[in-house]
Amino acid sequence: MPGYRPRGKCEFAKLQSDALQTMLPPMVQNRLYAGRQLRQLREARNLRQSDFAAQLGISASYLSQIEHDDRPLTPALLDRLQKLFPLEWEEVAADAGDRRAAALREAAADPLFAAAPLPPEQIERAALQQPQFADQFVALHAAYRRAGQRLQIIDEALTGGIAEGSRLPWEEVRDWFHDAGNYVDSIDRAAEALAEQLRGKAPSPAIETIERRLRDALGISIVYQQTQALRDFDATMRHLVIDPSQPAESRRFQLAHQLAALALAREIAAVVEASPLRTAAARQLLHVGLANYAAGAVLMPYAPFRASARAVRHDIDRLRLEYGVSFEQACHRLSTLQRPGARGIPMFFCRVDMAGNITKRHSATRLQFARFGGACPLWIVHEAVAIPDRILFQLAETPDGLRYVSMAKGLVKPSGSYARAPRRYAVALGCEAQYAGDFVYADGVDVAAPQAATRIGLSCRICPRDDCDQRAFPPSDRPILVDPDRRDVVPYRIG
């Protein structure tokens, strides 16, 4: 028969299934076939079908049918995939138009609902049958988290003797970046486009290329001369002075900052103008912060850097060498990979000085840093400050029951002169334990072991733990009981 082609058994079964779906209600029609994505995921991890099927809790034959798109993914299997491979699942969900269900599953996984978790089938049904309700539930959960963070800020401010309305400009800008998720789409994309013009086939633009763009396209004269400033630009004379005593990656970052500040001036000004910052000082600081953000995005363009990070499982030293950036710059950039539809692992990042002050902080996770006062003394970052150039690892559990894997490293920035002391601090980078498989520093650690995690808090003023021997002072919302005839490690009991 002309045009006839014999069809195999599996292909015929799929044709039957596709024909049947046209007669089914919308909830049943919206089945997810993701065989290609699952096969790529398995092959990327060098897993046999039998091993991958065992992880998913299904048979190898069932997995084979799914990989050939003969069977769709069930809600229970979708839930299992999202928990085991959260980053890869997001891309599958984006391809399949299933972002609503993925967002609903993420919100429903909050420890707030641990006592009565929703079955995956109910979550899937709600996303399909009640899309408006699902969207409102996700929005309400996000508002709940923001409200909790806001109450925490107010509580810390009041107990620390700081009026809520008296934030310093630096704190205003720091909170602005936090509220923005530490990702600024318009600037990130513009910086990525600029990097594409400069880097050629290299992962990152070379310092000579950046210098040439500044000189030839923008008319900037560049001089390397040791001064008190790391970077000094005279806008009237179009003259840029860079301190040569800085490490090579720092010099390149200063050049990238100046290039971004000039080449992306319109994009930066638009974001500053739209911000709710109240003072001129805060707006100027935001301008500087956005230029720094753009410089990082030029040196570590979003798409290639995200791909590299995933390929090396977020090994900072390998990323640092590949892109010619510092350890801190690579850590900071990893915390900004939150582009919708192409997210990286949600990370928290901070920098702590020798006195325990948090001088940089951002969290795309549910872990939030103290705004006032010191951080938890049990956190590994404090030990890292005293041990330069050594990476420390910690599995920690917060009072809400969430577990985090983090690494910390002490760093020393040279001053270029015996007369000026070097700067010492530590940086910390981490993520929720569910992403441990993509975080090279967590290798060999059983993140689910009951006694494996260090029990940390955010700060002593708001930490509810009443059995901590490292407590500096009691929580602000609970009374203390003092027994003059008894002395424990902490000289009071919490009521």
Side-chain angles (χ1 to χ4, degrees):
M1 182 181 296
Y4 173 76
R5 179 173 62 87
R7 302 187 183 271
K9 182 178 179 181
C10 291
E11 188 176 2
F12 183 72
K14 187 175 187 302
L15 286 173
Q16 282 185 312
S17 175
D18 292 343
L20 180 61
Q21 286 186 56
T22 62
M23 299 181 289
L24 295 177
M27 182 189 74
V28 183
Q29 287 185 36
N30 194 10
R31 291 183 173 183
L32 175 57
Y33 291 88
R36 175 180 57 81
Q37 294 94 328
L38 285 189
R39 186 166 55 254
Q40 289 176 347
L41 174 60
R42 176 174 61 80
E43 292 173 350
R45 294 173 181 265
N46 295 318
L47 294 173
R48 296 178 301 177
Q49 276 193 338
S50 57
D51 296 331
F52 193 42
Q55 287 190 26
L56 299 178
I58 59 177
S59 68
S61 60
Y62 185 25
L63 175 61
S64 178
Q65 289 178 313
I66 293 175
E67 287 191 353
H68 287 87
D69 283 336
D70 296 326
R71 299 284 293 272
L73 297 177
T74 65
L77 191 53
L78 290 175
D79 186 63
R80 180 73 172 158
L81 282 165
Q82 185 177 19
K83 290 177 180 176
L84 288 174
F85 312 106
L87 285 183
E88 290 83 354
W89 160 248
E90 179 176 323
E91 293 182 353
V92 174
D95 290 345
D98 192 36
R99 293 182 183 176
R100 176 179 289 111
L104 188 58
R105 276 192 292 269
E106 183 176 350
D110 193 291
L112 177 69
F113 309 114
L118 291 173
E121 294 79 5
Q122 289 189 16
I123 295 175
E124 199 76 16
R125 189 178 300 115
L128 291 172
Q129 292 183 324
Q130 301 290 336
Q132 187 175 6
F133 173 81
D135 290 342
Q136 290 179 349
F137 182 90
V138 171
L140 184 62
H141 176 258
Y144 159 77
R145 285 186 57 189
R146 288 195 301 269
Q149 294 169 16
R150 191 65 182 164
L151 286 173
Q152 178 183 313
I153 294 173
I154 295 172
D155 180 74
E156 291 182 89
L158 292 176
T159 56
I162 301 172
E164 167 60 12
S166 62
R167 284 183 302 168
L168 296 173
W170 184 267
E171 294 165 339
E172 276 194 273
V173 174
R174 195 168 58 177
D175 288 341
W176 183 92
F177 273 103
H178 174 78
D179 292 339
N182 208 29
Y183 174 75
V184 188
D185 190 72
S186 60
I187 292 177
D188 207 301
R189 292 182 186 275
E192 187 176 30
L194 177 59
E196 286 299 312
Q197 301 172 19
L198 299 174
R199 69 188 183 94
K201 295 183 179 180
S204 181
I207 189 170
E208 296 81 8
T209 306
I210 299 174
E211 289 176 334
R212 188 160 52 249
R213 175 60 68 95
L214 283 167
R215 289 188 177 115
D216 297 346
L218 299 172
I220 307 299
S221 61
I222 304 172
V223 172
Y224 289 93
Q225 177 181 327
Q226 191 166 7
T227 63
Q228 290 294 316
L230 302 178
R231 172 182 48 82
D232 190 1
F233 178 60
D234 186 328
T236 303
M237 301 299 296
R238 310 290 285 179
H239 185 65
L240 176 63
V241 179
I242 299 291
D243 183 357
S245 67
Q246 302 175 78
E249 58 268 18
S250 297
R251 295 197 301 271
R252 192 166 73 113
F253 186 88
Q254 297 298 344
L255 289 167
H257 171 102
Q258 197 61 61
L259 175 61
L262 295 172
L264 307 181
R266 182 179 303 174
E267 290 84 354
I268 292 174
V271 175
V272 173
E273 183 64 28
S275 74
L277 301 182
R278 297 168 298 177
T279 65
R283 289 173 173 268
Q284 289 167 349
L285 282 172
L286 178 59
H287 191 283
V288 173
L290 291 172
N292 281 333
Y293 178 98
V298 167
L299 298 179
M300 293 164 278
Y302 194 99
F305 186 76
R306 174 176 173 266
S308 297
R310 295 179 65 176
V312 301
R313 297 176 57 231
H314 303 84
D315 187 324
I316 309 301
D317 281 309
R318 293 182 65 178
L319 291 171
R320 177 179 64 82
L321 292 172
E322 181 179 354
Y323 286 84
V325 295
S326 70
F327 195 91
E328 179 185 348
Q329 290 164 10
C331 288
H332 198 167
R333 183 56 171 156
L334 285 173
S335 75
T336 69
L337 302 182
Q338 296 301 301
R339 180 176 292 178
R343 287 197 310 164
I345 289 181
M347 295 274 191
F348 63 79
F349 164 76
C350 77
R351 188 178 72 184
V352 176
D353 67 14
M354 293 290 288
N357 300 304
I358 299 178
T359 57
K360 284 185 180 181
R361 61 167 171 81
H362 169 67
S363 178
T365 72
R366 285 173 278 192
L367 176 69
Q368 301 303 324
F369 299 110
R371 262 73 170 181
F372 309 99
C376 177
L378 297 175
W379 197 17
I380 198 68
V381 69
H382 299 294
E383 184 178 345
V385 178
I387 311 175
D389 295 325
R390 178 181 169 190
I391 292 179
L392 305 179
F393 172 81
Q394 184 177 47
L395 171 65
E397 183 176 303
T398 49
D400 58 7
L402 289 172
R403 290 191 166 194
Y404 299 87
V405 291
S406 63
M407 73 88 208
K409 183 178 182 180
L411 301 174
V412 179
K413 279 197 173 183
S415 67
S417 170
Y418 176 76
R420 298 173 64 184
R423 291 170 289 161
R424 299 176 181 269
Y425 54 89
V427 294
L429 184 77
C431 59
E432 294 186 17
Q434 64 173 313
Y435 299 101
D438 292 299
F439 197 58
V440 68
Y441 305 99
D443 283 357
V445 178
D446 183 359
V447 297
Q451 304 301 323
T454 301
R455 299 168 69 242
I456 68 170
L458 300 183
S459 73
C460 290
R461 292 188 184 278
I462 59 175
C463 181
R465 302 194 192 280
D466 56 10
D467 58 349
C468 178
D469 292 344
Q470 286 285 338
R471 184 174 281 282
F473 31 77
S476 58
D477 61 341
R478 296 171 65 183
I480 61 172
L481 305 175
V482 180
D483 185 348
D485 297 321
R486 179 185 175 90
R487 178 62 163 92
D488 292 320
V489 175
V490 177
Y492 51 79
R493 288 184 295 118
I494 299 172

